[in-house]
């Protein structure tokens, strides 16, 4: 069997030395896949993504058990920067654009780990605009003054500037109108098909996530309580009762 692109094996995560938040989480993202991580507020989705990108330490969190592999190699001891250099980039929940920079300047910040020339970087800016034409129109606007949907697009565009193989996308639907959520997931699907970018998407919006992902995991209280193909989860009675129609 071919190795998965990302594999999380039985990790435990503790904040502040005492708060056990992940209690043995395992999951896989195959090369070229879109996998969703579902669960209620506080289930541990963000913590799972941050364990992969190694962003826990700044929040006094640590992986205390288990391990994480990317293309078969351990990455859980790398710095956040080195994880990005490997091609794994997180798009944070709440988008975190630099409000006083323009949209285009925000995109440029995504290229910070790259050592190639301005020409290559400009090519990728154009690629981002190809997928997000709306950002091209808004390129000179300060990110603090654009809409929530445009900020989400800017955040994804910025991640693309690092030339990722895997994007960890945290609640892209948060606070956005259904039409816009649809638009953003369509673009994610196109990036997956046309650019070969794989995605691990944390979502509370079970409905939309299961329409665009091939596979899903459901987290409850820091444990994976169910996983399966998107189709099997969408048809599962428990999933329907507890998760669909909630958002
Ligand atoms: P959300 O939709 O709110 O992002 P989530 O499923 O992503 O939910 P996490 O953000 O991973 O959940 O949080 C899981 C649990 O860990 C919650 O109980 C939360 O209060 C706790 N937690 C998160 N960050 C910290 C932190 N820095 N210090 C202590 N506890 C934290």
């Amino acid at each position: 069997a071919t190795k998965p692109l990302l594999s999380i094996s039985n990790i435990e995560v503790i904040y502040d030395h005492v708060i056990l938040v992940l209690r043995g989480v395992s999951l896989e993202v195959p090369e070229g896949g879109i996998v969703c991580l579902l669960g209620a507020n506080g289930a541990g989705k963000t913590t799972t993504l941050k364990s992969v990108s190694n962003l826990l330490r700044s929040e006094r969190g640590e992986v205390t058990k288990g391990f994480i592999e990317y293309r078969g190699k351990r990455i859980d001891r790398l710095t956040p920067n080195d994880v990005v250099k490997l091609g794994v980039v997180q798009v944070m929940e709440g988008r975190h654009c630099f409000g006083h920079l323009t949209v285009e300047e925000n995109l440029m910040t995504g290229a910070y780990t790259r050592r190639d020339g301005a020409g290559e970087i400009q090519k990728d800016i154009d690629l981002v605009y190809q997928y997000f034409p709306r950002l091209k129109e808004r390129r000179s606007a300060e990110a603090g003054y654009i809409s929530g949907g445009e900020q989400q697009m800017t955040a994804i565009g910025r991640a693309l500037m690092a030339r990722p193989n895997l994007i960890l996308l945290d609640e892209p639907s948060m606070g956005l109108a259904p039409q816009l959520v649809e638009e953003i997931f369509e673009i994610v699907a196109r990036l997956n098909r046309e650019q070969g970018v794989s995605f691990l998407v944390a979502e509370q919006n079970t409905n939309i996530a299961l329409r665009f992902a091939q596979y899903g995991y459901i987290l409850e209280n820091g444990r994976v309580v169910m996983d399966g193909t998107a189709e099997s989860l969408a048809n599962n009675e428990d999933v329907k009762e507890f998760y669909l129609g909630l958002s």
Side-chain angles (χ1 to χ4, degrees):
T2 54
K3 287 233 174 227
L5 186 62
L6 176 76
S7 146
I8 299 180
S9 301
N10 203 25
I11 57 167
E12 264 183 21
V13 170
I14 295 182
Y15 285 110
D16 287 322
H17 302 290
V18 289
I19 311 166
L20 178 60
V21 169
L22 297 188
R23 306 156 188 265
V25 168
S26 297
L27 66 82
E28 288 183 356
V29 179
E31 177 89 56
I34 301 179
V35 171
C36 62
L37 187 56
L38 306 170
N41 206 339
K45 303 182 297 297
T46 299
T47 300
T48 305
L49 299 192
K50 284 187 176 171
S51 335
V52 177
S53 45
N54 259 325
L55 293 172
L56 286 176
R57 196 163 314 168
S58 55
E59 299 194 33
R60 302 172 52 82
E62 54 179 334
V63 177
T64 51
K65 216 181 93 182
F67 56 92
I68 301 172
E69 290 172 314
Y70 178 71
R71 297 193 194 283
K73 292 213 175 79
R74 289 280 294 262
I75 58 167
D76 45 276
R77 297 276 181 262
L78 299 182
T79 64
N81 250 327
D82 285 337
V83 176
V84 172
K85 283 187 193 158
L86 279 180
V88 181
V89 181
Q90 180 157 355
V91 178
M92 302 267 220
E93 182 178 26
R95 312 185 264 274
H96 295 277
C97 294
F98 298 105
H100 293 297
L101 298 185
T102 65
V103 165
E104 187 153 307
E105 286 164 349
N106 268 278
L107 295 179
M108 296 297 288
T109 65
Y112 76 101
T113 54
R114 289 171 56 174
R115 292 285 168 269
D116 46 359
E120 286 301 297
I121 289 174
Q122 188 54 51
K123 256 192 227 162
D124 286 348
I125 294 259
D126 292 340
L127 186 79
V128 170
Y129 289 153
Q130 192 185 311
Y131 281 90
F132 298 102
R134 210 191 278 216
L135 293 186
K136 188 170 185 181
E137 291 163 25
R138 306 289 269 141
R139 65 205 292 175
S140 305
E142 281 186 29
Y145 295 93
I146 61 179
S147 73
E150 289 163 350
Q151 286 177 352
Q152 183 64 68
M153 292 174 186
T154 302
I156 297 172
R158 184 174 57 191
L160 288 171
M161 292 303 295
R163 292 247 175 112
N165 301 111
L166 173 63
I167 291 182
L168 311 166
L169 189 52
D170 201 355
E171 298 227 19
S173 78
M174 197 172 66
L176 302 184
Q179 163 91 38
L180 215 44
V181 173
E182 188 78 29
E183 197 179 315
I184 283 169
F185 270 87
E186 293 281 2
I187 294 168
V188 163
R190 272 187 63 208
L191 286 166
N192 175 254
R193 272 198 315 274
E194 300 170 1
Q195 302 295 323
V197 183
S198 304
F199 286 87
L200 177 58
V201 187
E203 255 305 339
Q204 285 194 55
N205 187 331
T206 304
N207 233 319
I208 190 132
L210 288 179
R211 276 205 288 121
F212 283 90
Q214 295 102 27
Y215 203 89
Y217 294 83
I218 299 183
L219 270 187
E220 261 175 32
N221 243 317
R223 283 197 182 88
V224 174
V225 292
M226 206 187 295
D227 68 294
T229 63
E231 199 190 351
S232 71
L233 291 177
N235 291 317
N236 181 284
E237 290 306 321
D238 290 333
V239 175
K240 280 190 199 166
E241 181 174 351
F242 294 112
Y243 292 103
L244 289 172
L246 282 185
S247 42

